[in-house]
Amino acid sequence: MKTNYQVQTDACIAMHAGAGEVPVLLLHSCCAPCSSYVLEYLSQYFAITVLYYNPNIYPDEEYAHRVREQEAFIRRFPARHPIQFAEGAFDKERFYETVKGTEECPEGGERCFRCYELRLREAARLAREMGADYFCTTLSISPLKNAEKLNEIGERLAAEYGVRYLPSDFKKKNGYKRSVELSREYGMYRQEYCGCVFSRKDRDET
């Protein structure tokens, strides 16, 4: 039976809300459009720091554009609890070293799984450093991303770094649909490929 991560998210929220707590969440964001619904949803219950750590993005101008969109959305969004922003290092060589040998893998396969872990590992590391209660990622909102794999990696890193992972599948509750609506509402740039040079190549060839 497949795990219902939304049920687990709801249970975590209910536990803290029932105790009158506002836990601190380190949220890795892949881009502003994907973060939109996630922030609308989670900022009701958590004090969030958004980590923009995406060394996979290609080319440099695309990376810069996506960072600006993320910061602009956070500034404009009327969150119930405060949202902070942190930009990670744009260490492109770390990404290429991480996915070395998987360059020809199809989108959604082993190359992507390694990229998930690269970004989630940095989120777990920073969450521990800042004393956050939880960490997670916006990646599961995409219909093209493997929520089961993301949660598996997140739980493994939680054990390694000693910080709780917030189980999640943000596609649920029409999350992806809502992110599209919010993107339109805020006039956001929605990219046409996931981000890396390999996904851009796939886009250009189709």
Side-chain angles (χ1 to χ4, degrees), residues 39 54 88 99 105 108 165 176 187 197-198 200:
L39 289 173
N54 299 292
V99 302
C105 285
Y165 178 76
Y176 178 72
V197 64
F198 310 108
R200 176 161 172 167

Side-chain angles (χ1 to χ4, degrees), residues 85-140:
F85 176 76
E87 182 181 354
F90 186 37
D91 44 3
K92 295 176 287 185
E93 292 311 311
R94 187 178 176 192
F95 166 70
Y96 289 116
E97 186 59 34
T98 296
V99 302
K100 188 175 181 179
T102 64
E103 292 88 349
E104 300 304 317
C105 285
E107 194 78 6
E110 178 61 26
R111 185 182 68 242
C112 294
F113 297 162
R114 292 188 189 185
C115 187
Y116 295 172
E117 179 159 349
L118 170 66
R119 291 181 281 173
L120 274 167
R121 181 172 291 280
E122 184 63 12
R125 185 198 67 76
L126 183 57
R128 181 176 66 181
E129 182 180 291
M130 65 182 281
D133 299 298
Y134 293 91
F135 73 99
C136 73
T137 178
T138 63
L139 284 164
S140 70

